Coordinates of all heavy atoms in Angstrom, one line a residue:
M1 N 31.0 4.2 13.6 CA 29.6 4.5 13.4 C 29.2 4.0 12.0 O 28.1 3.5 11.9 CB 29.4 6.0 13.5 CG 27.9 6.4 13.3 SD 26.7 5.6 14.4 CE 26.8 6.7 15.8
R2 N 30.0 4.1 11.0 CA 29.7 3.6 9.7 C 29.5 2.1 9.7 O 28.5 1.5 9.1 CB 30.7 3.9 8.7 CG 30.7 5.4 8.3 CD 31.7 5.7 7.2 NE 33.0 5.3 7.6 CZ 34.1 6.1 7.4 NH1 34.0 7.2 6.9 NH2 35.3 5.6 7.8
R3 N 30.3 1.4 10.5 CA 30.2 -0.1 10.6 C 28.9 -0.5 11.4 O 28.2 -1.4 11.0 CB 31.4 -0.7 11.2 CG 32.6 -0.8 10.3 CD 33.8 -1.5 10.9 NE 34.3 -0.6 11.9 CZ 35.1 -0.9 12.9 NH1 35.5 -2.2 13.0 NH2 35.6 0.0 13.7
L4 N 28.6 0.3 12.4 CA 27.4 0.1 13.2 C 26.2 0.2 12.3 O 25.3 -0.7 12.3 CB 27.3 1.1 14.3 CG 26.0 1.1 15.1 CD1 25.8 -0.2 15.8 CD2 26.0 2.2 16.1
V5 N 26.1 1.3 11.6 CA 24.9 1.5 10.7 C 24.9 0.5 9.6 O 23.8 -0.1 9.3 CB 25.0 3.0 10.0 CG1 24.0 3.1 8.9 CG2 24.8 4.0 11.1
G6 N 26.0 0.2 9.0 CA 26.0 -0.8 7.9 C 25.6 -2.2 8.4 O 24.8 -2.9 7.8
G7 N 26.1 -2.6 9.6 CA 25.7 -3.9 10.2 C 24.3 -4.0 10.5 O 23.6 -5.0 10.3
N8 N 23.7 -2.9 11.1 CA 22.3 -2.8 11.5 C 21.5 -2.9 10.2 O 20.5 -3.6 10.2 CB 22.0 -1.6 12.3 CG 22.4 -1.7 13.7 OD1 22.7 -2.8 14.2 ND2 22.5 -0.6 14.4
F9 N 21.9 -2.1 9.2 CA 21.1 -2.1 8.0 C 21.0 -3.5 7.4 O 20.0 -4.0 7.0 CB 21.7 -1.1 7.0 CG 20.8 -1.0 5.8 CD1 19.7 -0.1 5.7 CD2 21.1 -1.7 4.6 CE1 18.9 0.0 4.6 CE2 20.3 -1.6 3.5 CZ 19.2 -0.7 3.5
A10 N 22.2 -4.2 7.3 CA 22.2 -5.5 6.7 C 21.4 -6.5 7.5 O 20.6 -7.3 6.9 CB 23.7 -6.0 6.6
R11 N 21.5 -6.4 8.8 CA 20.7 -7.3 9.7 C 19.2 -7.1 9.5 O 18.5 -8.1 9.3 CB 21.2 -7.1 11.1 CG 20.4 -7.9 12.1 CD 20.8 -7.6 13.6 NE 20.9 -6.2 13.9 CZ 19.8 -5.5 14.2 NH1 18.6 -6.0 14.1 NH2 19.9 -4.2 14.5
L12 N 18.8 -5.9 9.5 CA 17.4 -5.6 9.4 C 16.9 -5.9 8.0 O 15.8 -6.5 7.9 CB 17.1 -4.1 9.7 CG 17.4 -3.7 11.1 CD1 17.5 -2.2 11.3 CD2 16.3 -4.2 12.0
R13 N 17.7 -5.7 7.0 CA 17.3 -6.0 5.6 C 17.0 -7.5 5.5 O 16.0 -8.0 4.9 CB 18.3 -5.5 4.6 CG 18.0 -5.9 3.2 CD 19.1 -5.5 2.2 NE 20.4 -6.0 2.5 CZ 20.8 -7.3 2.2 NH1 19.9 -8.2 1.7 NH2 22.0 -7.7 2.5
Q14 N 18.0 -8.3 6.0 CA 17.9 -9.7 5.9 C 16.7 -10.2 6.7 O 16.1 -11.2 6.3 CB 19.2 -10.3 6.3 CG 20.3 -10.1 5.3 CD 21.7 -10.4 5.8 OE1 21.9 -10.8 7.0 NE2 22.7 -10.1 5.0
A15 N 16.5 -9.7 7.9 CA 15.4 -10.1 8.7 C 14.0 -9.9 8.0 O 13.1 -10.6 8.3 CB 15.4 -9.3 10.1
K16 N 14.0 -8.8 7.2 CA 12.8 -8.6 6.4 C 12.7 -9.4 5.2 O 11.7 -9.4 4.4 CB 12.7 -7.1 6.0 CG 12.7 -6.1 7.2 CD 11.3 -6.0 7.7 CE 11.3 -4.9 8.8 NZ 9.9 -4.6 9.2
G17 N 13.7 -10.2 4.9 CA 13.7 -11.1 3.7 C 13.9 -10.3 2.4 O 13.5 -10.7 1.3
L18 N 14.6 -9.1 2.5 CA 14.8 -8.3 1.3 C 16.2 -8.4 0.8 O 17.2 -8.6 1.6 CB 14.6 -6.8 1.7 CG 13.2 -6.5 2.2 CD1 13.2 -5.0 2.7 CD2 12.2 -6.6 1.1
T19 N 16.4 -8.4 -0.5 CA 17.7 -8.3 -1.1 C 18.1 -6.9 -1.3 O 17.3 -5.9 -1.1 CB 17.7 -9.0 -2.5 OG1 16.8 -8.2 -3.4 CG2 17.2 -10.4 -2.5
Q20 N 19.4 -6.6 -1.6 CA 19.8 -5.3 -1.8 C 19.1 -4.7 -3.0 O 18.7 -3.5 -3.0 CB 21.3 -5.2 -2.1 CG 22.1 -5.5 -0.8 CD 23.6 -5.5 -1.1 OE1 24.1 -5.5 -2.2 NE2 24.4 -5.6 0.0
E21 N 18.7 -5.5 -4.0 CA 18.0 -5.0 -5.2 C 16.6 -4.6 -4.8 O 16.0 -3.7 -5.3 CB 18.0 -6.1 -6.2 CG 19.3 -6.3 -6.9 CD 20.3 -7.2 -6.1 OE1 19.9 -7.8 -5.1 OE2 21.5 -7.3 -6.5
D22 N 16.0 -5.4 -3.8 CA 14.6 -5.0 -3.3 C 14.7 -3.6 -2.7 O 13.8 -2.8 -3.0 CB 14.1 -6.0 -2.3 CG 13.8 -7.4 -2.9 OD1 13.5 -7.5 -4.1 OD2 13.9 -8.4 -2.1
V23 N 15.7 -3.4 -1.9 CA 15.8 -2.1 -1.2 C 16.1 -1.0 -2.3 O 15.6 0.1 -2.2 CB 16.9 -2.1 -0.2 CG1 17.1 -0.7 0.5 CG2 16.6 -3.1 0.9
E24 N 16.9 -1.3 -3.3 CA 17.1 -0.4 -4.4 C 15.8 0.1 -5.0 O 15.5 1.3 -5.2 CB 18.0 -1.0 -5.4 CG 18.2 -0.1 -6.7 CD 19.1 -0.8 -7.7 OE1 19.0 -2.0 -7.9 OE2 19.8 -0.1 -8.4
A25 N 14.9 -0.9 -5.3 CA 13.6 -0.6 -5.9 C 12.7 0.3 -5.0 O 12.0 1.1 -5.4 CB 12.9 -1.9 -6.3
R26 N 12.8 0.0 -3.7 CA 12.0 0.7 -2.7 C 12.5 2.1 -2.4 O 11.7 3.0 -2.1 CB 11.9 -0.1 -1.4 CG 11.1 -1.3 -1.5 CD 11.2 -2.0 -0.1 NE 10.3 -3.2 -0.1 CZ 9.8 -3.7 1.0 NH1 10.0 -3.1 2.1 NH2 9.0 -4.7 0.9
S27 N 13.8 2.3 -2.5 CA 14.4 3.5 -2.0 C 14.9 4.4 -3.0 O 15.1 5.6 -2.8 CB 15.6 3.2 -1.0 OG 16.7 2.6 -1.7
G28 N 15.3 3.9 -4.2 CA 15.9 4.7 -5.2 C 17.5 4.8 -5.1 O 18.1 5.3 -6.0
F29 N 18.0 4.3 -4.0 CA 19.5 4.2 -3.8 C 20.0 3.0 -4.6 O 19.3 1.9 -4.6 CB 19.9 4.1 -2.4 CG 19.6 5.4 -1.6 CD1 18.4 5.5 -0.9 CD2 20.5 6.4 -1.6 CE1 18.2 6.7 -0.2 CE2 20.3 7.6 -0.9 CZ 19.1 7.7 -0.2
S30 N 21.1 3.1 -5.2 CA 21.6 2.0 -6.1 C 22.1 0.8 -5.2 O 22.4 1.0 -4.0 CB 22.8 2.5 -6.9 OG 23.9 2.7 -6.1
Q31 N 22.1 -0.3 -5.8 CA 22.5 -1.5 -5.1 C 24.0 -1.3 -4.7 O 24.4 -1.8 -3.6 CB 22.4 -2.8 -6.0 CG 22.7 -4.1 -5.4 CD 24.2 -4.4 -5.5 OE1 24.8 -4.1 -6.6 NE2 24.8 -5.1 -4.5
Q32 N 24.8 -0.7 -5.5 CA 26.2 -0.4 -5.2 C 26.3 0.5 -3.9 O 27.2 0.2 -3.1 CB 26.9 0.3 -6.4 CG 27.1 -0.6 -7.5 CD 25.9 -0.7 -8.5 OE1 24.9 0.0 -8.3 NE2 25.9 -1.6 -9.4
Y33 N 25.4 1.5 -3.8 CA 25.4 2.3 -2.6 C 25.1 1.5 -1.4 O 25.7 1.6 -0.4 CB 24.5 3.5 -2.8 CG 24.5 4.4 -1.6 CD1 25.4 5.5 -1.5 CD2 23.6 4.2 -0.5 CE1 25.4 6.3 -0.4 CE2 23.7 5.0 0.6 CZ 24.6 6.0 0.7 OH 24.7 6.8 1.8
I34 N 24.0 0.7 -1.5 CA 23.6 -0.1 -0.4 C 24.7 -1.1 0.0 O 24.9 -1.3 1.2 CB 22.3 -0.8 -0.8 CG1 21.2 0.2 -1.0 CG2 21.9 -1.9 0.3 CD1 19.9 -0.3 -1.7
S35 N 25.3 -1.7 -0.9 CA 26.4 -2.6 -0.6 C 27.5 -1.9 0.1 O 28.1 -2.4 1.1 CB 27.0 -3.2 -2.0 OG 28.1 -4.0 -1.7
G36 N 27.9 -0.7 -0.4 CA 28.9 0.1 0.3 C 28.5 0.5 1.7 O 29.3 0.4 2.7
L37 N 27.3 0.8 1.9 CA 26.7 1.1 3.2 C 26.9 -0.1 4.2 O 27.4 0.1 5.3 CB 25.3 1.5 3.1 CG 24.6 1.9 4.4 CD1 25.0 3.3 4.9 CD2 23.1 1.7 4.2
E38 N 26.5 -1.2 3.7 CA 26.5 -2.4 4.5 C 28.0 -2.8 4.9 O 28.2 -3.4 5.9 CB 25.8 -3.6 3.8 CG 24.3 -3.4 3.8 CD 23.6 -4.6 3.2 OE1 24.2 -5.6 2.9 OE2 22.3 -4.5 3.2
R39 N 28.9 -2.5 4.0 CA 30.3 -2.8 4.3 C 31.0 -1.7 5.2 O 32.2 -1.8 5.5 CB 31.1 -3.0 3.0 CG 30.7 -4.2 2.3 CD 31.6 -4.5 1.1 NE 32.0 -3.4 0.3 CZ 31.4 -3.0 -0.8 NH1 30.3 -3.6 -1.2 NH2 31.8 -1.9 -1.4
G40 N 30.2 -0.7 5.5 CA 30.8 0.4 6.3 C 31.6 1.4 5.6 O 32.4 2.1 6.1
Q41 N 31.4 1.4 4.3 CA 32.3 2.3 3.4 C 31.6 3.6 3.0 O 32.2 4.5 2.4 CB 32.7 1.6 2.1 CG 33.5 0.4 2.4 CD 33.9 -0.4 1.2 OE1 33.1 -0.4 0.2 NE2 35.0 -1.1 1.2
R42 N 30.3 3.8 3.4 CA 29.5 5.0 3.1 C 29.3 5.7 4.4 O 29.2 5.2 5.5 CB 28.2 4.6 2.5 CG 28.3 3.9 1.1 CD 28.8 4.9 0.1 NE 28.9 4.2 -1.2 CZ 29.0 4.9 -2.3 NH1 29.1 6.2 -2.3 NH2 29.1 4.2 -3.4
N43 N 29.2 7.0 4.3 CA 28.9 7.9 5.4 C 27.6 8.6 5.1 O 27.5 9.7 4.6 CB 30.0 8.9 5.6 CG 29.9 9.7 6.9 OD1 29.3 9.2 7.8 ND2 30.6 10.8 6.9
P44 N 26.4 7.9 5.4 CA 25.1 8.5 5.0 C 24.7 9.7 5.9 O 25.1 9.8 7.0 CB 24.2 7.3 5.3 CG 24.8 6.5 6.4 CD 26.3 6.7 6.1
T45 N 24.0 10.6 5.2 CA 23.4 11.7 5.9 C 22.2 11.2 6.8 O 21.7 10.1 6.5 CB 22.9 12.8 5.0 OG1 21.8 12.3 4.2 CG2 24.0 13.3 4.0
I46 N 21.7 12.1 7.6 CA 20.5 11.7 8.4 C 19.3 11.5 7.5 O 18.5 10.7 7.8 CB 20.3 12.7 9.6 CG1 19.2 12.2 10.5 CG2 19.9 14.1 9.0 CD1 19.6 11.0 11.3
I47 N 19.2 12.3 6.5 CA 18.1 12.2 5.5 C 18.2 10.8 4.8 O 17.2 10.1 4.7 CB 18.1 13.3 4.5 CG1 17.8 14.6 5.3 CG2 17.1 13.1 3.4 CD1 18.0 15.9 4.5
T48 N 19.4 10.4 4.4 CA 19.6 9.1 3.8 C 19.2 8.0 4.7 O 18.5 7.0 4.3 CB 21.0 8.9 3.3 OG1 21.3 10.0 2.3 CG2 21.3 7.6 2.7
L49 N 19.6 8.1 6.0 CA 19.3 7.1 7.0 C 17.7 7.0 7.1 O 17.2 5.9 7.2 CB 19.9 7.4 8.4 CG 21.4 7.2 8.5 CD1 21.8 7.7 9.9 CD2 21.8 5.8 8.2
Y50 N 17.1 8.1 7.2 CA 15.6 8.1 7.3 C 15.0 7.5 6.1 O 14.1 6.6 6.2 CB 15.1 9.6 7.5 CG 13.6 9.7 7.5 CD1 13.0 9.4 8.7 CD2 12.9 10.0 6.4 CE1 11.6 9.5 8.8 CE2 11.5 10.1 6.5 CZ 10.9 9.8 7.7 OH 9.5 9.8 7.8
E51 N 15.4 7.8 4.9 CA 14.8 7.3 3.7 C 15.1 5.7 3.6 O 14.2 5.0 3.2 CB 15.4 8.0 2.4 CG 14.9 9.4 2.4 CD 15.5 10.2 1.3 OE1 16.5 9.8 0.7 OE2 15.1 11.3 1.0
L52 N 16.3 5.3 4.0 CA 16.6 3.9 3.9 C 15.8 3.1 5.0 O 15.3 2.0 4.7 CB 18.1 3.6 4.1 CG 18.9 4.0 2.9 CD1 20.4 4.0 3.3 CD2 18.7 3.1 1.7
A53 N 15.6 3.7 6.1 CA 14.8 3.1 7.2 C 13.3 3.0 6.7 O 12.7 1.9 6.9 CB 14.8 3.9 8.5
Q54 N 12.8 4.0 6.0 CA 11.5 3.9 5.5 C 11.4 2.8 4.5 O 10.4 2.1 4.4 CB 11.1 5.3 4.8 CG 11.0 6.4 5.7 CD 9.8 6.3 6.6 OE1 8.7 6.2 6.2 NE2 10.0 6.2 7.9
A55 N 12.4 2.6 3.7 CA 12.4 1.5 2.7 C 12.3 0.1 3.3 O 11.7 -0.8 2.8 CB 13.6 1.6 1.7
L56 N 12.9 0.0 4.5 CA 12.9 -1.2 5.3 C 11.7 -1.4 6.2 O 11.4 -2.4 6.6 CB 14.1 -1.3 6.2 CG 15.5 -1.5 5.5 CD1 16.6 -1.6 6.6 CD2 15.5 -2.7 4.6
G57 N 11.0 -0.2 6.4 CA 9.8 -0.3 7.3 C 10.2 -0.3 8.7 O 9.5 -0.9 9.5
V58 N 11.3 0.4 9.1 CA 11.8 0.4 10.4 C 12.0 1.9 10.8 O 12.0 2.8 10.0 CB 13.1 -0.4 10.7 CG1 12.9 -1.9 10.3 CG2 14.2 0.2 9.9
S59 N 12.3 2.1 12.1 CA 12.6 3.4 12.6 C 14.1 3.7 12.2 O 14.9 2.8 12.3 CB 12.4 3.5 14.1 OG 13.0 4.7 14.6
H60 N 14.4 5.0 11.9 CA 15.8 5.3 11.6 C 16.6 5.1 12.9 O 17.8 4.9 12.8 CB 15.9 6.8 11.1 CG 15.3 7.8 12.1 ND1 14.0 8.0 12.3 CD2 15.9 8.6 12.9 CE1 13.8 8.9 13.2 NE2 15.0 9.3 13.6
V61 N 16.0 5.2 14.0 CA 16.8 4.9 15.3 C 17.4 3.5 15.3 O 18.5 3.3 15.9 CB 15.9 5.2 16.5 CG1 16.6 4.9 17.8 CG2 15.4 6.7 16.5
E62 N 16.7 2.6 14.7 CA 17.2 1.2 14.7 C 18.5 1.1 13.9 O 19.3 0.1 14.2 CB 16.1 0.3 14.1 CG 14.9 0.1 15.0 CD 14.0 -0.9 14.5 OE1 14.3 -2.1 14.4 OE2 12.9 -0.5 14.1
L63 N 18.7 2.0 13.0 CA 20.0 1.9 12.2 C 21.2 2.4 13.0 O 22.3 2.1 12.7 CB 19.8 2.7 11.0 CG 18.8 2.2 10.0 CD1 18.7 3.2 8.8 CD2 19.1 0.8 9.5
I64 N 20.9 3.2 14.1 CA 22.1 3.8 14.8 C 22.2 3.2 16.2 O 23.1 3.6 17.0 CB 22.0 5.3 14.8 CG1 20.7 5.8 15.5 CG2 22.2 5.9 13.4 CD1 20.7 7.3 15.8
T65 N 21.3 2.3 16.6 CA 21.3 1.8 18.0 C 22.2 0.5 18.0 O 21.9 -0.4 17.3 CB 19.9 1.5 18.4 OG1 19.1 2.6 18.3 CG2 19.9 0.9 19.9
P66 N 23.2 0.5 18.9 CA 24.0 -0.7 19.0 C 23.2 -1.9 19.6 O 22.3 -1.7 20.4 CB 25.1 -0.3 20.0 CG 25.1 1.2 20.1 CD 23.7 1.6 19.8
Q67 N 23.5 -3.0 19.1 CA 22.9 -4.3 19.6 C 23.7 -4.7 20.9 O 24.8 -4.2 21.1 CB 23.0 -5.4 18.5 CG 22.2 -5.1 17.3 CD 20.8 -4.8 17.5 OE1 20.1 -5.7 18.0 NE2 20.3 -3.6 17.3
N68 N 23.1 -5.5 21.7 CA 23.7 -5.9 22.9 C 25.2 -6.4 22.8 O 26.0 -6.1 23.6 CB 22.9 -7.0 23.6 CG 21.6 -6.4 24.2 OD1 21.5 -5.2 24.4 ND2 20.6 -7.2 24.3
D69 N 25.4 -7.2 21.7 CA 26.8 -7.7 21.5 C 27.7 -6.7 20.9 O 28.9 -7.0 20.7 CB 26.7 -9.0 20.6 CG 26.1 -8.8 19.3 OD1 25.4 -7.8 19.1 OD2 26.4 -9.6 18.4
E70 N 27.3 -5.5 20.5 CA 28.1 -4.5 19.9 C 28.5 -3.4 20.9 O 29.2 -2.5 20.5 CB 27.4 -3.8 18.7 CG 27.1 -4.8 17.6 CD 26.3 -4.1 16.4 OE1 26.5 -2.9 16.2 OE2 25.5 -4.8 15.8
T71 N 28.0 -3.4 22.1 CA 28.3 -2.3 23.0 C 29.7 -2.4 23.6 O 30.3 -3.4 23.6 CB 27.2 -2.2 24.1 OG1 27.1 -3.5 24.8 CG2 25.9 -1.8 23.5

């Protein structure tokens, strides 16, 4: 699940043309935290997922939904 969330987050962030530093400025989470999340090393709470999704301008559901090639 951590790898799924991290992979989705990285994919969505890049699709929006945002750097980890951009998300840091929007969310208040450190670049180090975001990097760890994307590598699947963080175990975010549902509140954290919601706040990070808001920073990306996406639904929190998109962070936990497997892509077709990940099922």
Side-chain angles (χ1 to χ4, degrees):
M1 181 57 84
R2 287 186 302 228
R3 284 184 287 163
L4 171 65
V5 169
N8 282 345
F9 185 84
R11 178 181 50 76
L12 292 165
R13 176 183 60 75
Q14 292 165 0
K16 299 277 185 176
L18 299 171
T19 65
Q20 291 179 350
E21 291 80 8
D22 293 333
V23 177
E24 175 182 33
R26 290 177 174 209
S27 69
F29 290 96
S30 72
Q31 183 273 326
Q32 291 83 6
Y33 182 88
I34 295 165
S35 176
L37 177 79
E38 290 186 0
R39 291 190 318 267
Q41 297 176 333
R42 297 287 181 169
N43 192 20
T45 66
I46 190 67
I47 293 170
T48 299
L49 288 177
Y50 178 80
E51 291 172 351
L52 289 169
Q54 292 293 300
L56 291 180
V58 300
S59 168
H60 60 284
V61 175
E62 290 185 68
L63 295 177
I64 60 171
T65 303
Q67 297 301 296
N68 290 337
D69 59 339
E70 295 178 35
T71 56

